[in-house]
PDB file of all heavy atoms in Angstrom:
ATOM      1  N   ALA A  20       0.846  -1.190   0.000  1.00 97.00           N
ATOM      2  CA  ALA A  20       0.000   0.000   0.000  1.00 97.00           C
ATOM      3  C   ALA A  20       0.878   1.234   0.000  1.00 97.00           C
ATOM      4  O   ALA A  20       2.050   1.183   0.397  1.00 97.00           O
ATOM      5  CB  ALA A  20      -0.923   0.012   1.218  1.00 97.00           C
ATOM      6  N   ILE A  21       0.294   2.352  -0.445  1.00 97.00           N
ATOM      7  CA  ILE A  21       0.970   3.643  -0.361  1.00 97.00           C
ATOM      8  C   ILE A  21       0.029   4.647   0.285  1.00 97.00           C
ATOM      9  O   ILE A  21      -1.193   4.514   0.247  1.00 97.00           O
ATOM     10  CB  ILE A  21       1.429   4.159  -1.737  1.00 97.00           C
ATOM     11  CG1 ILE A  21       0.255   4.279  -2.700  1.00 97.00           C
ATOM     12  CG2 ILE A  21       2.539   3.286  -2.309  1.00 97.00           C
ATOM     13  CD1 ILE A  21       0.603   4.962  -4.018  1.00 97.00           C
ATOM     14  N   LEU A  22       0.623   5.671   0.883  1.00 97.00           N
ATOM     15  CA  LEU A  22      -0.117   6.774   1.486  1.00 97.00           C
ATOM     16  C   LEU A  22       0.619   8.050   1.131  1.00 97.00           C
ATOM     17  O   LEU A  22       1.832   8.152   1.331  1.00 97.00           O
ATOM     18  CB  LEU A  22      -0.184   6.604   3.006  1.00 97.00           C
ATOM     19  CG  LEU A  22      -0.970   7.663   3.778  1.00 97.00           C
ATOM     20  CD1 LEU A  22      -2.468   7.525   3.496  1.00 97.00           C
ATOM     21  CD2 LEU A  22      -0.715   7.528   5.278  1.00 97.00           C
ATOM     22  N   THR A  23      -0.088   9.027   0.586  1.00 96.00           N
ATOM     23  CA  THR A  23       0.539  10.273   0.168  1.00 96.00           C
ATOM     24  C   THR A  23      -0.302  11.460   0.620  1.00 96.00           C
ATOM     25  O   THR A  23      -1.495  11.338   0.886  1.00 96.00           O
ATOM     26  CB  THR A  23       0.694  10.337  -1.368  1.00 96.00           C
ATOM     27  OG1 THR A  23      -0.601  10.437  -1.965  1.00 96.00           O
ATOM     28  CG2 THR A  23       1.390   9.102  -1.900  1.00 96.00           C
ATOM     29  N   GLY A  24       0.350  12.606   0.678  1.00 95.00           N
ATOM     30  CA  GLY A  24      -0.361  13.826   1.038  1.00 95.00           C
ATOM     31  C   GLY A  24       0.580  15.005   1.071  1.00 95.00           C
ATOM     32  O   GLY A  24       1.803  14.859   1.031  1.00 95.00           O
ATOM     33  N   SER A  25       0.004  16.189   1.155  1.00 92.00           N
ATOM     34  CA  SER A  25       0.769  17.424   1.249  1.00 92.00           C
ATOM     35  C   SER A  25       0.956  17.792   2.719  1.00 92.00           C
ATOM     36  O   SER A  25       0.068  17.531   3.549  1.00 92.00           O
ATOM     37  CB  SER A  25       0.039  18.555   0.523  1.00 92.00           C
ATOM     38  OG  SER A  25       0.671  19.798   0.758  1.00 92.00           O
ATOM     39  N   THR A  26       2.073  18.412   3.028  1.00 92.00           N
ATOM     40  CA  THR A  26       2.304  18.917   4.386  1.00 92.00           C
ATOM     41  C   THR A  26       2.139  20.431   4.441  1.00 92.00           C
ATOM     42  O   THR A  26       2.324  21.032   5.491  1.00 92.00           O
ATOM     43  CB  THR A  26       3.712  18.545   4.870  1.00 92.00           C
ATOM     44  OG1 THR A  26       4.686  19.099   3.966  1.00 92.00           O
ATOM     45  CG2 THR A  26       3.886  17.041   4.934  1.00 92.00           C
ATOM     46  N   ARG A  27       1.783  21.029   3.294  1.00 89.00           N
ATOM     47  CA  ARG A  27       1.727  22.489   3.202  1.00 89.00           C
ATOM     48  C   ARG A  27       0.305  22.998   3.004  1.00 89.00           C
ATOM     49  O   ARG A  27      -0.058  24.053   3.503  1.00 89.00           O
ATOM     50  CB  ARG A  27       2.605  22.945   2.035  1.00 89.00           C
ATOM     51  CG  ARG A  27       2.657  24.445   1.840  1.00 89.00           C
ATOM     52  CD  ARG A  27       3.456  24.794   0.600  1.00 89.00           C
ATOM     53  NE  ARG A  27       4.841  24.418   0.755  1.00 89.00           N
ATOM     54  CZ  ARG A  27       5.671  24.178  -0.258  1.00 89.00           C
ATOM     55  NH1 ARG A  27       5.218  24.243  -1.499  1.00 89.00           N
ATOM     56  NH2 ARG A  27       6.917  23.853  -0.041  1.00 89.00           N
ATOM     57  N   ASP A  28      -0.495  22.262   2.241  1.00 89.00           N
ATOM     58  CA  ASP A  28      -1.868  22.692   1.969  1.00 89.00           C
ATOM     59  C   ASP A  28      -2.761  21.453   1.947  1.00 89.00           C
ATOM     60  O   ASP A  28      -2.283  20.332   1.815  1.00 89.00           O
ATOM     61  CB  ASP A  28      -1.956  23.440   0.636  1.00 89.00           C
ATOM     62  CG  ASP A  28      -1.187  22.737  -0.471  1.00 89.00           C
ATOM     63  OD1 ASP A  28      -1.550  21.590  -0.817  1.00 89.00           O
ATOM     64  OD2 ASP A  28      -0.206  23.312  -0.980  1.00 89.00           O
ATOM     65  N   ASN A  29      -4.052  21.658   2.091  1.00 91.00           N
ATOM     66  CA  ASN A  29      -5.002  20.537   2.125  1.00 91.00           C
ATOM     67  C   ASN A  29      -4.516  19.440   3.075  1.00 91.00           C
ATOM     68  O   ASN A  29      -4.514  18.248   2.746  1.00 91.00           O
ATOM     69  CB  ASN A  29      -5.205  19.990   0.710  1.00 91.00           C
ATOM     70  CG  ASN A  29      -5.800  21.023  -0.231  1.00 91.00           C
ATOM     71  OD1 ASN A  29      -6.937  21.449  -0.061  1.00 91.00           O
ATOM     72  ND2 ASN A  29      -5.008  21.460  -1.202  1.00 91.00           N
ATOM     73  N   VAL A  30      -4.105  19.870   4.265  1.00 92.00           N
ATOM     74  CA  VAL A  30      -3.445  18.954   5.197  1.00 92.00           C
ATOM     75  C   VAL A  30      -4.415  18.014   5.896  1.00 92.00           C
ATOM     76  O   VAL A  30      -3.994  17.164   6.688  1.00 92.00           O
ATOM     77  CB  VAL A  30      -2.610  19.727   6.240  1.00 92.00           C
ATOM     78  CG1 VAL A  30      -1.456  20.444   5.568  1.00 92.00           C
ATOM     79  CG2 VAL A  30      -3.485  20.710   7.014  1.00 92.00           C
ATOM     80  N   ALA A  31      -5.709  18.148   5.626  1.00 93.00           N
ATOM     81  CA  ALA A  31      -6.667  17.182   6.163  1.00 93.00           C
ATOM     82  C   ALA A  31      -6.795  15.955   5.266  1.00 93.00           C
ATOM     83  O   ALA A  31      -7.364  14.942   5.672  1.00 93.00           O
ATOM     84  CB  ALA A  31      -8.033  17.826   6.339  1.00 93.00           C
ATOM     85  N   LEU A  32      -6.244  16.034   4.045  1.00 94.00           N
ATOM     86  CA  LEU A  32      -6.461  15.010   3.025  1.00 94.00           C
ATOM     87  C   LEU A  32      -5.252  14.098   2.859  1.00 94.00           C
ATOM     88  O   LEU A  32      -4.113  14.555   2.852  1.00 94.00           O
ATOM     89  CB  LEU A  32      -6.755  15.698   1.685  1.00 94.00           C
ATOM     90  CG  LEU A  32      -6.882  14.816   0.442  1.00 94.00           C
ATOM     91  CD1 LEU A  32      -8.099  13.908   0.540  1.00 94.00           C
ATOM     92  CD2 LEU A  32      -6.948  15.681  -0.814  1.00 94.00           C
ATOM     93  N   ALA A  33      -5.523  12.797   2.710  1.00 96.00           N
ATOM     94  CA  ALA A  33      -4.498  11.823   2.331  1.00 96.00           C
ATOM     95  C   ALA A  33      -5.045  10.970   1.200  1.00 96.00           C
ATOM     96  O   ALA A  33      -6.247  10.690   1.152  1.00 96.00           O
ATOM     97  CB  ALA A  33      -4.105  10.942   3.512  1.00 96.00           C
ATOM     98  N   GLN A  34      -4.167  10.570   0.289  1.00 96.00           N
ATOM     99  CA  GLN A  34      -4.527   9.656  -0.792  1.00 96.00           C
ATOM    100  C   GLN A  34      -3.892   8.310  -0.498  1.00 96.00           C
ATOM    101  O   GLN A  34      -2.709   8.243  -0.124  1.00 96.00           O
ATOM    102  CB  GLN A  34      -4.002  10.178  -2.139  1.00 96.00           C
ATOM    103  CG  GLN A  34      -4.576  11.517  -2.550  1.00 96.00           C
ATOM    104  CD  GLN A  34      -5.892  11.391  -3.292  1.00 96.00           C
ATOM    105  OE1 GLN A  34      -6.377  10.287  -3.544  1.00 96.00           O
ATOM    106  NE2 GLN A  34      -6.481  12.512  -3.647  1.00 96.00           N
ATOM    107  N   ALA A  35      -4.651   7.235  -0.649  1.00 97.00           N
ATOM    108  CA  ALA A  35      -4.143   5.894  -0.355  1.00 97.00           C
ATOM    109  C   ALA A  35      -4.454   4.950  -1.503  1.00 97.00           C
ATOM    110  O   ALA A  35      -5.392   5.176  -2.282  1.00 97.00           O
ATOM    111  CB  ALA A  35      -4.758   5.358   0.934  1.00 97.00           C
ATOM    112  N   GLN A  36      -3.659   3.903  -1.598  1.00 97.00           N
ATOM    113  CA  GLN A  36      -3.872   2.862  -2.592  1.00 97.00           C
ATOM    114  C   GLN A  36      -3.339   1.556  -2.010  1.00 97.00           C
ATOM    115  O   GLN A  36      -2.307   1.554  -1.336  1.00 97.00           O
ATOM    116  CB  GLN A  36      -3.126   3.191  -3.888  1.00 97.00           C
ATOM    117  CG  GLN A  36      -3.652   2.521  -5.129  1.00 97.00           C
ATOM    118  CD  GLN A  36      -4.921   3.168  -5.668  1.00 97.00           C
ATOM    119  OE1 GLN A  36      -5.256   4.291  -5.313  1.00 97.00           O
ATOM    120  NE2 GLN A  36      -5.624   2.457  -6.529  1.00 97.00           N
ATOM    121  N   ALA A  37      -4.030   0.465  -2.260  1.00 97.00           N
ATOM    122  CA  ALA A  37      -3.594  -0.835  -1.750  1.00 97.00           C
ATOM    123  C   ALA A  37      -3.706  -1.881  -2.846  1.00 97.00           C
ATOM    124  O   ALA A  37      -4.619  -1.828  -3.682  1.00 97.00           O
ATOM    125  CB  ALA A  37      -4.434  -1.255  -0.538  1.00 97.00           C
ATOM    126  N   TRP A  38      -2.770  -2.834  -2.834  1.00 97.00           N
ATOM    127  CA  TRP A  38      -2.755  -3.930  -3.811  1.00 97.00           C
ATOM    128  C   TRP A  38      -2.485  -5.235  -3.069  1.00 97.00           C
ATOM    129  O   TRP A  38      -1.586  -5.299  -2.217  1.00 97.00           O
ATOM    130  CB  TRP A  38      -1.642  -3.736  -4.842  1.00 97.00           C
ATOM    131  CG  TRP A  38      -1.746  -2.508  -5.681  1.00 97.00           C
ATOM    132  CD1 TRP A  38      -2.363  -2.372  -6.877  1.00 97.00           C
ATOM    133  CD2 TRP A  38      -1.185  -1.214  -5.391  1.00 97.00           C
ATOM    134  NE1 TRP A  38      -2.225  -1.091  -7.360  1.00 97.00           N
ATOM    135  CE2 TRP A  38      -1.514  -0.359  -6.471  1.00 97.00           C
ATOM    136  CE3 TRP A  38      -0.439  -0.698  -4.312  1.00 97.00           C
ATOM    137  CZ2 TRP A  38      -1.117   0.976  -6.505  1.00 97.00           C
ATOM    138  CZ3 TRP A  38      -0.058   0.627  -4.344  1.00 97.00           C
ATOM    139  CH2 TRP A  38      -0.395   1.455  -5.439  1.00 97.00           C
ATOM    140  N   VAL A  39      -3.233  -6.257  -3.389  1.00 97.00           N
ATOM    141  CA  VAL A  39      -3.028  -7.586  -2.817  1.00 97.00           C
ATOM    142  C   VAL A  39      -2.642  -8.532  -3.945  1.00 97.00           C
ATOM    143  O   VAL A  39      -3.272  -8.516  -5.019  1.00 97.00           O
ATOM    144  CB  VAL A  39      -4.282  -8.096  -2.089  1.00 97.00           C
ATOM    145  CG1 VAL A  39      -4.064  -9.509  -1.557  1.00 97.00           C
ATOM    146  CG2 VAL A  39      -4.665  -7.142  -0.954  1.00 97.00           C
ATOM    147  N   HIS A  40      -1.628  -9.337  -3.708  1.00 97.00           N
ATOM    148  CA  HIS A  40      -1.221 -10.301  -4.733  1.00 97.00           C
ATOM    149  C   HIS A  40      -2.404 -11.199  -5.077  1.00 97.00           C
ATOM    150  O   HIS A  40      -3.145 -11.635  -4.185  1.00 97.00           O
ATOM    151  CB  HIS A  40      -0.048 -11.139  -4.237  1.00 97.00           C
ATOM    152  CG  HIS A  40       0.621 -11.917  -5.327  1.00 97.00           C
ATOM    153  ND1 HIS A  40       0.055 -13.056  -5.885  1.00 97.00           N
ATOM    154  CD2 HIS A  40       1.796 -11.719  -5.983  1.00 97.00           C
ATOM    155  CE1 HIS A  40       0.865 -13.518  -6.813  1.00 97.00           C
ATOM    156  NE2 HIS A  40       1.922 -12.723  -6.909  1.00 97.00           N
ATOM    157  N   PRO A  41      -2.633 -11.470  -6.369  1.00 96.00           N
ATOM    158  CA  PRO A  41      -3.805 -12.277  -6.756  1.00 96.00           C
ATOM    159  C   PRO A  41      -3.895 -13.607  -6.020  1.00 96.00           C
ATOM    160  O   PRO A  41      -5.014 -14.102  -5.778  1.00 96.00           O
ATOM    161  CB  PRO A  41      -3.587 -12.489  -8.257  1.00 96.00           C
ATOM    162  CG  PRO A  41      -2.770 -11.324  -8.701  1.00 96.00           C
ATOM    163  CD  PRO A  41      -1.872 -10.988  -7.545  1.00 96.00           C
ATOM    164  N   ALA A  42      -2.780 -14.190  -5.633  1.00 94.00           N
ATOM    165  CA  ALA A  42      -2.801 -15.481  -4.937  1.00 94.00           C
ATOM    166  C   ALA A  42      -3.298 -15.366  -3.503  1.00 94.00           C
ATOM    167  O   ALA A  42      -3.581 -16.385  -2.861  1.00 94.00           O
ATOM    168  CB  ALA A  42      -1.405 -16.106  -4.947  1.00 94.00           C
ATOM    169  N   HIS A  43      -3.412 -14.137  -2.994  1.00 94.00           N
ATOM    170  CA  HIS A  43      -3.775 -13.968  -1.578  1.00 94.00           C
ATOM    171  C   HIS A  43      -4.989 -13.073  -1.390  1.00 94.00           C
ATOM    172  O   HIS A  43      -5.225 -12.566  -0.285  1.00 94.00           O
ATOM    173  CB  HIS A  43      -2.576 -13.389  -0.811  1.00 94.00           C
ATOM    174  CG  HIS A  43      -1.381 -14.266  -0.836  1.00 94.00           C
ATOM    175  ND1 HIS A  43      -1.282 -15.426  -0.105  1.00 94.00           N
ATOM    176  CD2 HIS A  43      -0.222 -14.169  -1.558  1.00 94.00           C
ATOM    177  CE1 HIS A  43      -0.111 -16.000  -0.341  1.00 94.00           C
ATOM    178  NE2 HIS A  43       0.547 -15.268  -1.216  1.00 94.00           N
ATOM    179  N   ARG A  44      -5.799 -12.930  -2.431  1.00 92.00           N
ATOM    180  CA  ARG A  44      -6.995 -12.111  -2.295  1.00 92.00           C
ATOM    181  C   ARG A  44      -8.086 -12.853  -1.529  1.00 92.00           C
ATOM    182  O   ARG A  44      -8.072 -14.071  -1.438  1.00 92.00           O
ATOM    183  CB  ARG A  44      -7.513 -11.709  -3.679  1.00 92.00           C
ATOM    184  CG  ARG A  44      -6.638 -10.648  -4.342  1.00 92.00           C
ATOM    185  CD  ARG A  44      -7.170 -10.202  -5.668  1.00 92.00           C
ATOM    186  NE  ARG A  44      -6.362  -9.097  -6.199  1.00 92.00           N
ATOM    187  CZ  ARG A  44      -6.464  -8.621  -7.420  1.00 92.00           C
ATOM    188  NH1 ARG A  44      -7.350  -9.153  -8.257  1.00 92.00           N
ATOM    189  NH2 ARG A  44      -5.704  -7.635  -7.829  1.00 92.00           N
ATOM    190  N   ARG A  45      -9.002 -12.049  -0.991  1.00 88.00           N
ATOM    191  CA  ARG A  45     -10.166 -12.550  -0.255  1.00 88.00           C
ATOM    192  C   ARG A  45      -9.760 -13.334   0.991  1.00 88.00           C
ATOM    193  O   ARG A  45     -10.484 -14.220   1.444  1.00 88.00           O
ATOM    194  CB  ARG A  45     -11.054 -13.415  -1.158  1.00 88.00           C
ATOM    195  CG  ARG A  45     -11.558 -12.676  -2.399  1.00 88.00           C
ATOM    196  CD  ARG A  45     -12.527 -13.524  -3.197  1.00 88.00           C
ATOM    197  NE  ARG A  45     -12.928 -12.846  -4.419  1.00 88.00           N
ATOM    198  CZ  ARG A  45     -13.871 -11.916  -4.506  1.00 88.00           C
ATOM    199  NH1 ARG A  45     -14.530 -11.556  -3.414  1.00 88.00           N
ATOM    200  NH2 ARG A  45     -14.161 -11.350  -5.662  1.00 88.00           N
ATOM    201  N   GLY A  46      -8.602 -12.961   1.542  1.00 89.00           N
ATOM    202  CA  GLY A  46      -8.159 -13.619   2.768  1.00 89.00           C
ATOM    203  C   GLY A  46      -7.940 -12.656   3.915  1.00 89.00           C
ATOM    204  O   GLY A  46      -7.365 -13.043   4.944  1.00 89.00           O
ATOM    205  N   GLY A  47      -8.369 -11.418   3.761  1.00 93.00           N
ATOM    206  CA  GLY A  47      -8.225 -10.440   4.840  1.00 93.00           C
ATOM    207  C   GLY A  47      -7.007  -9.548   4.726  1.00 93.00           C
ATOM    208  O   GLY A  47      -6.828  -8.631   5.548  1.00 93.00           O
ATOM    209  N   VAL A  48      -6.148  -9.782   3.729  1.00 95.00           N
ATOM    210  CA  VAL A  48      -4.932  -8.972   3.590  1.00 95.00           C
ATOM    211  C   VAL A  48      -5.292  -7.525   3.261  1.00 95.00           C
ATOM    212  O   VAL A  48      -4.735  -6.585   3.846  1.00 95.00           O
ATOM    213  CB  VAL A  48      -4.003  -9.558   2.511  1.00 95.00           C
ATOM    214  CG1 VAL A  48      -2.763  -8.682   2.327  1.00 95.00           C
ATOM    215  CG2 VAL A  48      -3.601 -10.984   2.865  1.00 95.00           C
ATOM    216  N   GLY A  49      -6.216  -7.332   2.326  1.00 95.00           N
ATOM    217  CA  GLY A  49      -6.613  -5.981   1.954  1.00 95.00           C
ATOM    218  C   GLY A  49      -7.186  -5.203   3.125  1.00 95.00           C
ATOM    219  O   GLY A  49      -6.891  -4.022   3.300  1.00 95.00           O
ATOM    220  N   THR A  50      -7.997  -5.874   3.943  1.00 95.00           N
ATOM    221  CA  THR A  50      -8.582  -5.211   5.107  1.00 95.00           C
ATOM    222  C   THR A  50      -7.494  -4.748   6.068  1.00 95.00           C
ATOM    223  O   THR A  50      -7.534  -3.622   6.580  1.00 95.00           O
ATOM    224  CB  THR A  50      -9.554  -6.160   5.817  1.00 95.00           C
ATOM    225  OG1 THR A  50     -10.642  -6.452   4.930  1.00 95.00           O
ATOM    226  CG2 THR A  50     -10.092  -5.540   7.086  1.00 95.00           C
ATOM    227  N   ARG A  51      -6.497  -5.606   6.311  1.00 95.00           N
ATOM    228  CA  ARG A  51      -5.414  -5.229   7.215  1.00 95.00           C
ATOM    229  C   ARG A  51      -4.615  -4.057   6.655  1.00 95.00           C
ATOM    230  O   ARG A  51      -4.224  -3.146   7.397  1.00 95.00           O
ATOM    231  CB  ARG A  51      -4.494  -6.431   7.443  1.00 95.00           C
ATOM    232  CG  ARG A  51      -5.101  -7.508   8.344  1.00 95.00           C
ATOM    233  CD  ARG A  51      -5.095  -7.064   9.821  1.00 95.00           C
ATOM    234  NE  ARG A  51      -3.743  -6.834  10.293  1.00 95.00           N
ATOM    235  CZ  ARG A  51      -2.927  -7.796  10.744  1.00 95.00           C
ATOM    236  NH1 ARG A  51      -3.344  -9.057  10.769  1.00 95.00           N
ATOM    237  NH2 ARG A  51      -1.726  -7.507  11.168  1.00 95.00           N
ATOM    238  N   LEU A  52      -4.369  -4.063   5.364  1.00 96.00           N
ATOM    239  CA  LEU A  52      -3.629  -2.955   4.757  1.00 96.00           C
ATOM    240  C   LEU A  52      -4.401  -1.645   4.866  1.00 96.00           C
ATOM    241  O   LEU A  52      -3.839  -0.597   5.228  1.00 96.00           O
ATOM    242  CB  LEU A  52      -3.345  -3.267   3.286  1.00 96.00           C
ATOM    243  CG  LEU A  52      -2.154  -4.168   2.997  1.00 96.00           C
ATOM    244  CD1 LEU A  52      -2.186  -4.616   1.544  1.00 96.00           C
ATOM    245  CD2 LEU A  52      -0.838  -3.446   3.283  1.00 96.00           C
ATOM    246  N   VAL A  53      -5.689  -1.693   4.554  1.00 96.00           N
ATOM    247  CA  VAL A  53      -6.495  -0.477   4.627  1.00 96.00           C
ATOM    248  C   VAL A  53      -6.557   0.035   6.058  1.00 96.00           C
ATOM    249  O   VAL A  53      -6.440   1.245   6.307  1.00 96.00           O
ATOM    250  CB  VAL A  53      -7.899  -0.725   4.050  1.00 96.00           C
ATOM    251  CG1 VAL A  53      -8.812   0.466   4.317  1.00 96.00           C
ATOM    252  CG2 VAL A  53      -7.822  -1.016   2.556  1.00 96.00           C
ATOM    253  N   ASP A  54      -6.743  -0.860   7.022  1.00 96.00           N
ATOM    254  CA  ASP A  54      -6.738  -0.447   8.433  1.00 96.00           C
ATOM    255  C   ASP A  54      -5.433   0.263   8.784  1.00 96.00           C
ATOM    256  O   ASP A  54      -5.421   1.294   9.474  1.00 96.00           O
ATOM    257  CB  ASP A  54      -6.912  -1.665   9.350  1.00 96.00           C
ATOM    258  CG  ASP A  54      -8.323  -2.210   9.352  1.00 96.00           C
ATOM    259  OD1 ASP A  54      -9.237  -1.500   8.881  1.00 96.00           O
ATOM    260  OD2 ASP A  54      -8.516  -3.347   9.826  1.00 96.00           O
ATOM    261  N   HIS A  55      -4.327  -0.296   8.295  1.00 96.00           N
ATOM    262  CA  HIS A  55      -3.016   0.267   8.639  1.00 96.00           C
ATOM    263  C   HIS A  55      -2.840   1.656   8.026  1.00 96.00           C
ATOM    264  O   HIS A  55      -2.408   2.592   8.722  1.00 96.00           O
ATOM    265  CB  HIS A  55      -1.901  -0.665   8.156  1.00 96.00           C
ATOM    266  CG  HIS A  55      -0.539  -0.222   8.597  1.00 96.00           C
ATOM    267  ND1 HIS A  55      -0.032  -0.525   9.848  1.00 96.00           N
ATOM    268  CD2 HIS A  55       0.430   0.506   7.961  1.00 96.00           C
ATOM    269  CE1 HIS A  55       1.183  -0.012   9.961  1.00 96.00           C
ATOM    270  NE2 HIS A  55       1.483   0.621   8.830  1.00 96.00           N
TER     271      HIS A  55
END
């Protein structure tokens, strides 16, 4: 996963993206990444 954002403006906002390897989908990995 990645997390990005500005420290100078729009400081309430963060952009996130998560990817789970196809062999490990639907096993809770995505949920743990998003929580983190």
Side-chain angles (χ1 to χ4, degrees):
I21 58 172
L22 182 70
T23 68
S25 172
T26 59
R27 181 185 295 157
D28 45 63
N29 298 294
V30 294
L32 174 66
Q34 298 274 358
Q36 202 77 17
W38 298 269
V39 177
H40 193 285
H43 299 286
R44 287 183 175 170
R45 302 185 184 278
V48 178
T50 296
R51 287 285 299 276
L52 279 168
V53 171
D54 286 345
H55 186 83

